[in-house]
Amino acid sequence: MRLSFHGAAGGVTGSCHLLAAKGKRILIDCGMFQGGRELHEENADDFGFDPASIDLLLLTHAHLDHCGRIPLLVKQGFSGEIICTAATRDLTRLVLLDSAHIHEEEARRRQRHGGGQGPLYDRVDALDSLEQFGRVARYGKPIDLGGGILATWHDAGHILGSASISLDVTEAGQTKRILFSGDIGPSVRPLLNEPQPPRDVDIVVMESTYGDRDHRSMESSVVEFHDAVRETIARGGNVVIPTFALERAQELLYFLREGMTSGELPKYLRVFLDSPMAISATRIYRRHPDDMKPEIAARLGQRTDPLDLPELEFVEEASESIALNTIRSGGVFLAGSGMCTGGRVRHHLRHNLGHEDCSVIFVGFAAEGTLARIIIDGARSVRLFGSEIPVRARIHTINGFSAHAGRSDLIAWHKRTGNPARTFLVHGEEAGRKALSEGLGNKGIEMPVLHQRYDL
C-alpha cells in the first residue's frame, strides 16, 4: 500500500490524498487551492498523478477546498465513480456550479484586461463531473469497493453530510484500517451531531487547522452576537453580517431565532438572507433532516422551525437585493461572501459602513489581504466600487462559530480512534501541525509535504 499527498500538505486548502492498494487507486477529496494570488496557476498545475489512472473518488464533504477541482479532474481523464453522502452530493452540485460561474467571470475579466487564459473549468465541465456521482454513502454502512476494500463514512459534524472515511484493506488475511478525517467539527454544534470517528484505527490522515488553539466557547459567542444585534437595532442602525453560505448561514438563522424566542432580540426582527447560494443551501438542509440532531430535525416544518423566522425574507433576485439599499434602519442583512471578496455583501458595506449607528459583524475566518481582514484590522476607510468609503460603523469580530474543531477537540477525536501507529497531519499551517503533534505526544506523527509518498 502507498499513500501520497497532493494538496493540503503544509497548507489548509486543496485537500487531495491518494491511496494505492490491492491494485486500486483511490482518491480521497479533490479540493481547490484558495487564498493565494496565483490561484488560477496553482489550481491548473499538474495534479501529481494521472487523473485517468484513478479508479474511485471518495468525497468527505462539499466545501470548495475539498471538492473544487473535481470538474478539472474529469476534464483531464478521470472516468471513475464518485461516492459521498446524499447531502454532500446535493451541496457539491451547488458549490461546483457556483465555482464554475466564478471561473467564467474571472476569465472574462482577464480577457478584458488583455489576458488570454480561459476559465479553469466552466459550467458544462461542472455538469459533466456531476454525472460521475454514483453510489450514496450512509453513515456507518460499509460500501464494498472491490478487491477486499471496504469504505465507511462516519459523521464528522463539520457541515451537513460531512464525513470522515475509513478504509478497511484486507491483505493476506490481515485487515488494516486507514481513516481520513476530512474536516472535523467541534463537539458542540447547534444543528449537527458531534463527530463520531471509528475505533481500532491503524493509520490516521488528520486535519490540523486549529491544532494550536481552542475557540471561544459557543455560549459566550452567542451572547456577544445577540448583544451586538440588539444594541445596533436599538440605536437605529442596520446590521451587516458577511456570511458563508454553507453551515454558517443556517447556524446564524438558528441563533437569531433563539434570540427572538428568548427575548434577547426583538420578536419581529427584519432579517434578510441576501445570498442565492445560502438560500439554496438552506433548502438542501431541509431535505436531509436525518443528518441533523434529532431534536432539530423534529422541529423542521413546525411552529418552532429552527431555520424560519417571523420576518425572514429570502432575497433571490438582484433587483430585490438592490432595493434593500433604501432600508436605513432596523434591518439585519446576511449576505455573501464571508470574506467580502465578492458578492452582495459589498453593496451592503457600501451603504452601511459609513454610518455610526450601523454594525458589521464578522463571524468567520478572514484571510490576509481580503476586504474582511482589512476592515477587521482597523482600516479607517476602504475602496468599494470606485469610491472611498469611511469606516464609521461598529465592527464586531466573533470567533466562536467555527465549523472546525479546536485543539482540545482534535486531541479528543484522535484519542477516540484508538491507538494509531501512524498519524499524518494535513490541512494545517506549520504552527498548527507542530502544536497538534506535541499535543498528540509526537508518537508516530508524519507531516507530509506536497506530492510526498509513503509506503504503509
Side-chain angles (χ1 to χ4, degrees):
M1 284 190 292
R2 174 168 285 188
L3 181 62
S4 55
F5 298 88
H6 304 284
V12 294
T13 63
S15 287
C16 187
H17 316 306
L18 175 58
L19 178 70
K22 303 297 293 292
K24 289 190 176 294
R25 291 169 63 79
I26 302 169
L27 201 63
I28 293 85
D29 288 342
C30 189
M32 187 167 288
F33 295 99
Q34 297 174 285
R37 288 188 174 273
E38 308 301 328
L39 286 182
H40 184 95
E41 291 77 7
E42 191 173 7
N43 284 304
D45 277 350
D46 186 85
F47 279 101
F49 54 84
D50 178 8
S53 73
I54 303 300
D55 297 296
L56 293 155
L57 169 58
L58 313 182
L59 187 56
T60 63
H61 68 285
H63 273 148
L64 194 65
D65 62 329
H66 289 257
C67 73
R69 286 213 289 174
I70 291 176
L72 191 62
L73 188 78
V74 172
K75 193 176 178 180
Q76 294 186 8
F78 170 66
S79 59
E81 182 185 15
I82 303 172
I83 308 175
C84 62
T85 65
T88 294
R89 178 197 58 203
D90 288 352
L91 289 172
T92 298
R93 176 184 177 86
L94 179 66
V95 168
L96 292 183
L97 289 173
D98 180 72
S99 175
H101 173 70
I102 291 171
H103 285 299
E104 291 170 350
E105 288 292 313
E106 282 296 306
R108 283 192 283 269
R109 182 188 62 78
R110 288 193 297 269
Q111 289 166 358
R112 286 196 300 269
H113 291 83
Q117 287 179 319
L120 190 67
Y121 55 82
D122 59 25
R123 277 170 283 192
V124 173
D125 297 322
L127 289 169
D128 285 344
S129 71
L130 294 171
E131 293 294 318
Q132 291 179 219
F133 281 70
R135 284 170 287 181
V136 174
R138 298 182 64 187
Y139 293 139
K141 305 293 184 183
I143 292 178
D144 189 350
L145 303 183
I149 304 176
L150 293 178
T152 308
W153 277 248
H154 309 268
D155 196 340
H158 175 60
I159 66 171
L160 190 78
S162 62
S164 301
I165 302 173
S166 63
L167 294 176
D168 291 331
V169 183
T170 302
E171 291 183 310
Q174 290 190 329
T175 299
K176 184 169 288 188
R177 176 168 290 172
I178 306 163
L179 177 63
F180 295 85
S181 75
D183 287 351
I184 304 165
S187 58
V188 178
R189 301 296 298 282
L191 303 177
L192 304 181
N193 295 302
E194 70 172 296
Q196 299 291 331
R199 302 189 182 275
D200 302 320
V201 174
D202 300 295
I203 298 168
V204 177
V205 178
M206 180 180 180
E207 74 122 317
S208 55
T209 311
Y210 291 101
D212 57 347
R213 61 194 184 276
D214 279 319
H215 305 301
R216 186 179 179 185
S217 75
M218 180 70 74
E219 293 80 4
S220 60
S221 298
V222 172
V223 169
E224 184 179 356
F225 177 63
H226 286 163
D227 287 347
V229 173
R230 184 181 61 254
E231 291 166 6
T232 306
I233 299 302
R235 62 177 183 264
N238 290 324
V239 178
V240 178
I241 309 175
T243 307
F244 294 97
L246 305 190
E247 195 64 29
R248 193 60 44 81
Q250 293 75 39
E251 285 191 347
L252 291 177
L253 292 178
Y254 171 85
F255 290 130
L256 287 168
R257 181 183 177 86
E258 293 300 293
M260 295 161 70
T261 301
S262 68
E264 291 294 319
L265 297 175
K267 187 174 182 180
Y268 294 104
L269 192 63
R270 297 185 69 192
V271 179
F272 303 90
L273 186 57
D274 189 13
S275 164
M277 189 174 177
I279 291 167
S280 295
T282 302
R283 289 172 175 152
I284 290 172
Y285 267 64
R286 294 184 176 281
R287 292 183 197 165
H288 299 281
D290 290 346
D291 289 348
M292 290 186 271
K293 287 181 175 179
E295 61 270 26
I296 295 296
R299 291 169 54 186
L300 292 174
Q302 306 299 315
R303 187 176 58 83
T304 59
D305 191 321
L307 300 179
D308 194 16
L309 288 73
E311 298 289 330
L312 174 64
E313 292 187 30
F314 284 174
V315 184
E316 301 194 63
E317 299 299 328
S319 59
E320 296 172 330
S321 179
I322 293 170
L324 299 181
N325 296 330
T326 62
I327 298 175
R328 187 59 195 87
S329 67
V332 178
F333 307 116
L334 282 67
S337 67
M339 296 190 199
C340 307
T341 53
R344 296 179 180 181
V345 74
R346 294 169 70 91
H347 293 276
H348 293 297
L349 292 174
R350 179 185 186 182
H351 289 274
N352 290 278
L353 264 180
H355 299 286
E356 294 179 355
D357 54 3
C358 294
S359 289
V360 181
I361 305 178
F362 292 99
V363 291
F365 177 73
E368 193 73 36
T370 62
L371 179 59
R373 174 61 72 86
I374 291 169
I375 295 172
I376 289 169
D377 286 347
R380 302 287 295 273
S381 66
V382 295
R383 194 158 188 81
L384 283 165
F385 305 104
S387 300
E388 200 69 20
I389 307 298
V391 179
R392 298 193 183 102
R394 298 191 188 184
I395 308 301
H396 302 265
T397 306
I398 305 176
N399 294 317
F401 294 136
S402 177
H404 283 271
R407 173 182 169 83
S408 297
D409 280 340
L410 287 172
I411 293 171
W413 182 92
H414 186 272
K415 186 175 182 180
R416 291 173 66 186
T417 67
N419 189 27
R422 299 176 80 178
T423 298
F424 295 88
L425 295 182
V426 296
H427 204 287
E429 303 290 355
E430 286 310 300
R433 292 207 291 181
K434 184 175 185 297
L436 184 56
S437 175
E438 293 169 355
L440 298 176
N442 292 315
K443 179 185 175 184
I445 304 295
E446 306 275 6
M447 297 189 192
V449 297
L450 193 63
H451 303 312
Q452 189 167 3
R453 292 165 168 80
Y454 295 83
D455 289 320
L456 302 181

